[in-house]
Amino acid sequence: MKILIASTPATGHLNPLLAITQILAAEGHEIALVTGTAFRARVEANGIRFFPLPEGADFNPNDVFSLVPELKTIPPGLEWLRVVCERIFVDAIPAQHEGLLEALRQFPADIIVADDMFFGILPILLGPRSHRPPVALCGTSILHWAREDGAPNFLGLPPAGTDEDRDRYAALARDYDATVDQPVLLRLNRALKGLGVGPVAMPLFHSVVDLADSYLQLSVPSFEFPRDMPSSVNFVGTPPIIANQVSPPPWAEDLDGSRKVVLVTQGTVANHNLNLLVAPTLAALANEPDILVIATAGGRPVDAIPGKVPSNARVASYLPFERLLPKVDVLVTNGGYGSVNQAMSFGIPLVTAGLTEDKADVNARVAWSGVGIDLATNEPTPEALREAVRTVLDQPRYRLRVSQIADEFAGIDTRTEILRIIGELVTDQTKLSRLRAAVPSRGRRAGRRG
């Protein structure tokens, strides 16, 4: 098959898609990938044909918010979410769509596989089903779907346990709809109208789940709040970490098992201020002789980590996670979805602290599922971090629970599931193509499911 991959130009989105391309390429499929120009060398080094996104959809993955600098100063909350949705996601749709069409002209794909926030796929999904390739989207974040308790996504709210919770969530949902969803939907439908499709009737993030021919959630059911989900949603586990992307650090031999290993990361997006989590974690554990702290700067130079590095700490810009994670006892993270799922698949309990992007909701799932402690703040104190790390290390219930989740990951053959789903979509498309002359096709609108 000819398979076109489309990725938001951000490391956390591209990494799982590159892992999926390795699965597909090993089966002999021809792969092309459209994403930001900063990733050209990395894509081509994996033997994949590269198509660049046009300027209006391309941005610096090391400074995602450079397009909207005020996002670095707006506090987490509804205004921050609205600005992100409008300026980062909706405004990129025309250029992303243009990039997809250009790639398809040069590479007539049998199927498109994209990440869940590549909203430039919407004009294709809203067009006639019989005149486009099937589309499989990969859930690189929490499952963006309506909750039965009425809580809006992105606010870090656990499932409602009482009627009072439901009443409070209903009030929050009304405010969220008025402040975020409706303004974003208005902007979205204007963009779609300019491309000759739409309108959609449900929130931006829900629409891609609803419209995708298949939705591959990169996690396990036990890490997602229970609710009715579209039949297109498939939990496929977490893709394997791409090996040998980073050489082992010079201090790799220090991971000799003599001390507990705590890994701290702020990921590759919310790492413009390493004082938020990396620095306070180093300070928190500096006087814990039984702990070795490993800190990654997420691609930034190590001297971006403020303050003196304690004697029981080691730092690196990037780390070979496939070698490191089997030796880690606790992950301290601001809540990147991919990192959290990778940690759980290795049986590593977590301490989380992060409120931006999707992190409040990821971290709420960490606490709800019992695999770690969510400090529910963007700026944890060293004292809170020390107490949380010691609790997770010293109380066996966290490791017991995450070992159960790890077994659930192990029970899903991610490679087989991905190949099965993609194969079935292409087979169905072939059958549909044979009926084109007999069955008239119509455009689709988001909102067909309640």
Side-chain angles (χ1 to χ4, degrees):
M1 292 185 286
K2 296 170 77 74
I3 302 173
L4 179 63
I5 312 289
S7 175
T8 302
T11 302
H13 296 259
L14 181 67
N15 277 345
L17 290 180
L18 281 177
I20 289 171
T21 66
Q22 289 197 338
I23 293 171
L24 298 171
E27 295 297 307
H29 300 304
E30 186 179 352
I31 314 293
L33 197 151
V34 55
T35 190
T37 54
F39 292 112
R40 175 189 288 273
R42 187 173 173 205
V43 170
E44 293 179 341
N46 281 272
I48 302 166
R49 186 174 178 183
F50 176 80
F51 290 102
L53 283 171
E55 183 178 351
D58 200 0
F59 52 79
N60 178 3
N62 294 319
D63 190 4
V64 173
F65 301 139
S66 60
L67 290 173
V68 194
E70 59 266 35
L71 287 171
K72 295 180 180 180
T73 56
I74 298 174
L78 299 189
E79 181 188 1
W80 193 96
L81 288 166
R82 177 187 60 77
V83 173
V84 166
C85 290
E86 291 181 343
R87 302 281 297 282
I88 300 292
F89 293 122
V90 173
D91 288 359
I93 286 175
Q96 285 185 345
H97 180 58
E98 176 189 342
L100 271 178
L101 293 183
E102 179 57 31
L104 288 169
R105 280 190 285 269
Q106 299 184 49
F107 185 84
D110 298 299
I111 186 169
I112 299 171
V113 179
D115 74 80
D116 54 333
M117 297 186 202
F118 193 95
F119 294 107
I121 197 69
L122 275 173
I124 289 177
L125 287 171
L126 289 163
R129 175 65 178 84
S130 59
H131 289 74
R132 64 164 176 83
V135 174
L137 297 183
C138 299
T140 60
S141 175
I142 61 165
L143 180 62
H144 298 122
W145 192 245
R147 289 172 47 168
E148 293 177 355
D149 60 9
N153 291 320
F154 296 111
L155 299 187
L157 300 170
T162 65
D163 289 340
E164 289 76 11
D165 286 342
R166 294 181 184 87
D167 290 343
R168 181 167 63 91
Y169 288 1
L172 289 170
R174 288 191 294 270
D175 191 22
Y176 189 99
D177 185 63
T179 306
V180 180
D181 280 344
Q182 290 308 312
V184 171
L185 194 58
L186 183 64
R187 196 179 186 102
L188 171 63
N189 282 326
R190 281 200 298 263
L192 293 174
K193 184 177 181 181
L195 297 170
V197 294
V200 296
M202 62 170 54
L204 172 68
F205 282 88
H206 295 187
S207 65
V208 287
V209 181
D210 183 70
L211 288 169
D213 299 310
S214 187
Y215 197 88
L216 285 64
Q217 188 65 28
L218 303 181
S219 187
V220 292
S222 293
F223 193 62
E224 187 52 66
F225 295 154
R227 70 192 107 162
D228 289 334
M229 302 174 190
S231 59
S232 59
V233 174
N234 299 272
F235 286 86
V236 298
T238 187
I241 301 170
I242 300 175
N244 302 317
Q245 295 186 95
V246 183
S247 299
W251 40 260
E253 293 183 359
D254 293 346
L255 301 170
D256 57 7
S258 62
R259 289 177 284 183
K260 298 291 187 182
V261 176
V262 175
L263 171 63
V264 57
T265 175
Q266 284 184 219
T268 56
V269 176
N271 67 354
H272 55 275
N273 179 8
L274 295 175
N275 269 310
L276 294 178
L277 186 59
V278 171
T281 300
L282 293 175
L285 303 176
N287 296 316
E288 302 293 314
D290 61 330
I291 290 176
L292 178 66
V293 186
I294 309 299
T296 171
R300 297 186 65 193
V302 293
D303 57 12
I305 299 174
K308 182 181 178 181
V309 177
S311 60
N312 70 333
R314 306 291 183 268
V315 299
S317 179
Y318 282 119
L319 288 166
F321 272 31
E322 75 278 11
R323 299 189 184 198
L324 178 61
L325 290 184
K327 301 182 179 186
V328 171
D329 295 285
V330 176
L331 174 65
V332 179
T333 173
N334 53 356
Y337 191 74
S339 296
V340 166
N341 277 277
Q342 285 176 349
M344 291 190 297
S345 73
F346 280 87
I348 302 169
L350 301 112
V351 171
T352 62
L355 300 177
T356 56
E357 300 98 43
D358 59 350
K359 292 178 173 57
D361 263 19
V362 175
N363 298 340
R365 284 157 173 79
V366 167
W368 168 79
S369 64
V371 298
I373 293 173
D374 175 22
L375 295 176
T377 177
N378 221 37
E379 300 185 50
T381 65
E383 292 74 20
L385 284 162
R386 185 184 307 111
E387 181 180 356
V389 169
R390 291 263 44 134
T391 299
V392 169
L393 279 174
D394 299 339
Q395 295 188 9
R397 60 190 173 103
Y398 295 102
R399 186 162 293 278
L400 174 62
R401 177 58 182 145
V402 79
S403 69
Q404 295 170 341
I405 299 285
D407 289 343
E408 191 172 356
F409 275 100
I412 297 176
D413 188 333
T414 298
R415 176 183 174 278
T416 298
E417 283 297 289
I418 289 172
L419 293 174
R420 176 188 65 80
I421 291 165
I422 289 177
E424 288 177 356
L425 288 177
V426 174
T427 298
D428 290 345
Q429 176 70 11
T430 301
K431 293 176 181 177
L432 180 62
S433 297
R434 294 170 182 163
L435 298 174
R436 282 180 182 172
V439 181
S441 60
R442 294 177 293 178
R444 302 168 71 194
R445 293 189 178 192
R448 66 186 187 281
R449 298 185 182 94

